[in-house]
Structure formats: C-alpha cells, structure tokens
Amino acid sequence: MMMKKLCRLSVLLALAVSGSTLPATAAAVEDELDHECTSWIIFSDLTKNNTNILHKNRDAAPRNVRVMQSAAGSPRRWIGLGNNISPCMGMNSSGLAAIMNSGEICADPPEAPGKKSTPAILQAILESCDTAAEAVKKLQEFHRQGDYSHGKKGSIFFFTDPKEGYICETTGKFCSVQRYDSSYTFRANIWHNPGMAQFSRNGVKRFLDSCGRESVVLDSFGSALDKNGKLTLADVLKLSRQAKQLEGSPLERSVCFKNTNSASTQVIHKEFPQTLSTIWVLIGHPRHTIYVPIPICAEKLLPSMLTPEWAAASWKRFDTLGLNAELPAEWLALEQKAMEVYGKAVEQAEKLLRDGKKAEAVKLLNQTAAGIWEKACPLAVSSKPAK
C-alpha cells in the first residue's frame, strides 16, 4: 500500500513538472505559503445520483466566514461562502456553480488597484450567467477590459453546470481555458492548462506544496474508485478533512490545514438543476464543525449561518484542540444521517417535479434542510470542545 501511494505521488509530480508549472526563476521568488486552496470537479459518469460536483477547500487567513446569498432583486438567486462583500465560492438558481483559487506567483501579476476583485467577478458571474460556457465568456470579458485584480498571483476559476465544466487559469494579461465533461479533475494553486508555464515564477516549495495536496486528491479518489467504482458525497466530505499527507511523503500540508477556513460541495442535479441542486456548506475549520445542506431553492436560512457565528465557534475549538483532533462521533453520525435523510428528500422531490408539483418539491426540500439545521446548529455554535 505504501509503495502504491508513493508511486501515485511520483507520477503526479512528474506530470506536473513536465506539463505546465516548472518554476522559471525559483531563486528570486518568495516562498511564503498563504491563501492555498484545493478544489475539484467530479462528473456524473463517476457519481451515483445523476449529479456533477464542484468542491472547494478554502485555505486562507480570514476566520470570519459566513454564508452569503443574493440580494432581493438580483437577476439570479445565488448562495455562497465568503468573508467579505462577495463570495469566493457559490451556486446560482440556474445550476451554475463557480469557485476561485489563487494561482501562481507570475511574471504578469494581475495587480490592478481599483479594478474588480476576483470574488466580485465571481459574484457578477453568478448573477448574470446560466451556464459554464457563459461564465467563461464573462470572465474573459472582464479580463480583456482590464477590469480584473488579484494581487501578486494569478487566479484559477472553476465553472460547472449540468453538462460540462471549465477551468480558467489567468495572469494579468493571459487566460487559458480547458473544458471537461467526464471523470474528474482538480487543482491546488498551480497551473496545468496549456500556455501557462511561461508565466510561472513559483518557487520550489510553493510548487511542491500544491503537488502534495493534489496527490492527496488523486490518492483518495483512486482508493474510492477501486473500492466502489463511483465517488460519493461521503467520499468528498471525508477528503475535505484530510489533514495528513500520504504515508512516506516528505511534504507537510494536506488538503485540510491550519488555515482552512471553510469548504463547500456544490452538487448540481442534471435533470432539475434549478430546484434540486444543493450546496453542502462547511462554515469554519473542517475538523471543528459540520456540513449542512442548503438547497438552491432555499427560501429562508438560519440567521446564525449568515453571520460568522458558526465559524467563530469552530476556531475556538480549533485553538483548544488543534489541527489533528479526532472528529467527534456525534458530528459524523449527524452528517451521515443528514446525507441519508436529505438524499431521500431529493429522490421524493424528483418524483414530484416529474409530476409537475414543483411547489410541493420546494416545500419538501426546505423543510428537510431546516430540520437538519435545527439539529446541527447547537453543535456548530457551541465553542466548547466536542466530547
């Protein structure tokens, strides 16, 4: 088993180095690691329930994360996660899911004070686009007009809808787009798209850190596929909390680390995306809080979700117990039950929609999600270490 994992890591590193991201001037680059994320897309040929999945683990300094939602009168309703004015991950009422990772330190940095930040671009896309292809065009429009800013690093946008997905890797002046519609694909904070290698100014430490996190995704999905032939929501939630590197790896950081401040698993239903799509949100550090589902047709959220209350409680637990604390059995049991209960509700809602009973389907999903929140909230907002 150890040799299998080491071989997977070696293959990933070799592919990454030969493909697109070998540092060009490593000696001249700072190697401070910050704002590191890990994200992936899984398509319906590898899921069990006719869905596409877009996931993001956000690893960044801010701790005041909360659920965000569209304002009244927005052209499209959306739900997301973030800590400022705009979300860094979200899904809208058309079934379009979007997230953004930081890219590499680059020769053509997108520093543009006063221009639109990447979260603001992401929000604008959620409010104006129905498909992943439209989202790509909208991003390219902002980029072409120079209304785009992301500090010293490039960025990596992921767009997924019921049919396809795209990964767009950008510097200040160049944008490379790759389309996907089957299997799975992933990124940490390094580029793999054609044409991007020439812009990289990553140091070796930063480059290998991302390779290590990507190797954890590769290993986790490979093991799950060997065992079950499919990838499930439970597989994704488990991976999002993986805090250790592969056995024998000289690398340190895993998918979940000390600055991982939130995560979302955006499940896009292919037949009824406007009603049955769901964003499973993790508000706070993954190992110190729990996932809950929010249907895209949600009519009312818990007030405590819309403030940093859940996140603040998770960080108090983190500061007491640390990164490698065992996940409480109570939390895992609640999540397992939530997946079962909500999954059955989606199946029932699917039948109602086929019978033309949308209002009943929406009511069922809202009631089911609210019941889960009611049980999860007392655990999420408690600052006491879980037993």
Side-chain angles (χ1 to χ4, degrees):
M1 180 61 70
M2 178 176 175
M3 286 303 297
K4 180 180 180 181
K5 291 181 177 180
L6 287 174
C7 285
R8 283 181 174 168
L9 176 57
S10 298
V11 168
L12 181 69
L13 293 176
L15 287 173
V17 172
S18 63
S20 65
T21 54
L22 184 63
T25 57
V29 175
E30 60 178 307
D31 266 334
E32 179 185 357
L33 298 176
D34 59 351
H35 294 272
E36 305 299 325
C37 305
T38 312
S39 304
W40 52 84
I41 308 172
I42 308 171
F43 291 95
S44 58
D45 56 324
L46 292 185
T47 66
K48 291 184 176 181
N49 54 357
N50 197 34
T51 60
N52 291 337
I53 295 174
L54 175 60
H55 177 91
K56 175 180 172 70
N57 258 42
R58 185 185 182 212
D59 192 2
R63 290 185 167 193
N64 56 333
V65 175
R66 60 184 176 88
V67 174
M68 296 180 167
Q69 59 182 346
S70 53
S74 172
R76 287 159 187 79
R77 296 176 61 202
W78 56 265
I79 298 169
L81 286 179
N83 62 284
N84 204 338
I85 298 174
S86 298
C88 55
M89 55 190 108
M91 180 165 58
N92 72 14
S93 53
S94 296
L96 169 65
I99 63 174
M100 192 284 299
N101 285 8
S102 289
E104 301 192 23
I105 294 176
C106 55
D108 182 18
E111 294 182 295
K115 302 297 183 180
K116 203 173 256 75
S117 68
T118 44
I121 289 173
L122 190 143
Q123 179 175 332
I125 286 171
L126 290 174
E127 293 180 345
S128 63
C129 299
D130 295 314
T131 68
E134 290 177 7
V136 171
K137 291 181 180 179
K138 189 71 173 179
L139 172 63
Q140 290 174 323
E141 179 182 332
F142 282 122
H143 196 260
R144 184 169 52 252
Q145 293 174 351
D147 194 10
Y148 163 76
S149 178
H150 193 66
K152 295 181 179 179
K153 299 180 183 178
S155 60
I156 307 173
F157 280 85
F158 301 64
F159 304 120
T160 312
D161 64 24
K163 295 182 179 180
E164 60 186 358
Y166 293 85
I167 296 181
C168 306
E169 299 177 352
T170 63
T171 71
K173 297 180 181 178
F174 186 79
C175 180
S176 177
V177 179
Q178 283 283 88
R179 177 185 178 275
Y180 302 88
D181 62 9
S182 63
S183 187
Y184 67 85
T185 186
F186 50 82
R187 295 290 189 277
N189 299 94
I190 53 176
W191 293 321
H192 296 287
N193 285 5
M196 297 303 294
Q198 61 185 310
F199 300 104
S200 173
R201 296 299 182 267
N202 259 9
V204 172
K205 182 178 179 180
R206 186 181 293 276
F207 171 72
L208 291 179
D209 177 79
S210 280
C211 286
R213 285 177 286 125
E214 291 181 353
S215 74
V216 174
V217 177
L218 183 67
D219 182 82
S220 177
F221 285 171
S223 297
L225 290 170
D226 285 346
K227 182 178 180 180
N228 299 314
K230 294 286 185 177
L231 297 174
T232 66
L233 176 62
D235 293 326
V236 173
L237 304 196
K238 180 180 179 181
L239 172 58
S240 73
R241 290 177 166 133
Q242 176 62 39
K244 296 181 180 179
Q245 259 294 334
L246 304 178
E247 184 180 354
S249 171
L251 303 173
E252 181 183 8
R253 193 195 311 242
S254 187
V255 169
C256 175
F257 208 62
K258 62 184 179 180
N259 284 331
T260 306
N261 67 17
S262 57
S264 69
T265 303
Q266 299 170 101
V267 182
I268 307 165
H269 196 276
K270 296 188 70 174
E271 186 176 359
F272 299 107
Q274 295 86 353
T275 305
L276 300 184
S277 295
T278 301
I279 177 171
W280 287 76
V281 297
L282 195 81
I283 313 167
H285 193 276
R287 299 188 67 84
H288 294 281
T289 192
I290 54 181
Y291 276 96
V292 293
I294 303 177
I296 196 60
C297 61
E299 296 174 339
K300 185 178 181 181
L301 302 182
L302 285 183
S304 59
M305 291 178 173
L306 300 170
T307 73
E309 184 177 358
W310 287 35
S314 82
W315 285 107
K316 287 183 180 179
R317 293 190 289 267
F318 177 91
D319 290 338
T320 300
L321 299 174
L323 174 65
N324 294 312
E326 291 294 326
L327 293 165
E330 184 180 9
W331 294 3
L332 296 177
L334 191 151
E335 283 185 356
Q336 179 61 41
K337 187 66 175 179
M339 285 187 281
E340 293 173 1
V341 170
Y342 191 80
K344 289 179 181 178
V346 169
E347 291 177 1
Q348 294 171 14
E350 193 172 12
K351 294 177 182 178
L352 290 170
L353 288 169
R354 291 199 181 105
D355 291 336
K357 300 177 180 179
K358 181 177 179 179
E360 291 183 32
V362 170
K363 182 179 179 180
L364 173 62
L365 292 176
N366 274 271
Q367 289 180 339
T368 303
I372 293 171
W373 304 341
E374 183 179 357
K375 294 178 180 179
C377 187
L379 300 178
V381 301
S382 172
S383 60
K384 295 179 181 180
K387 296 180 181 179

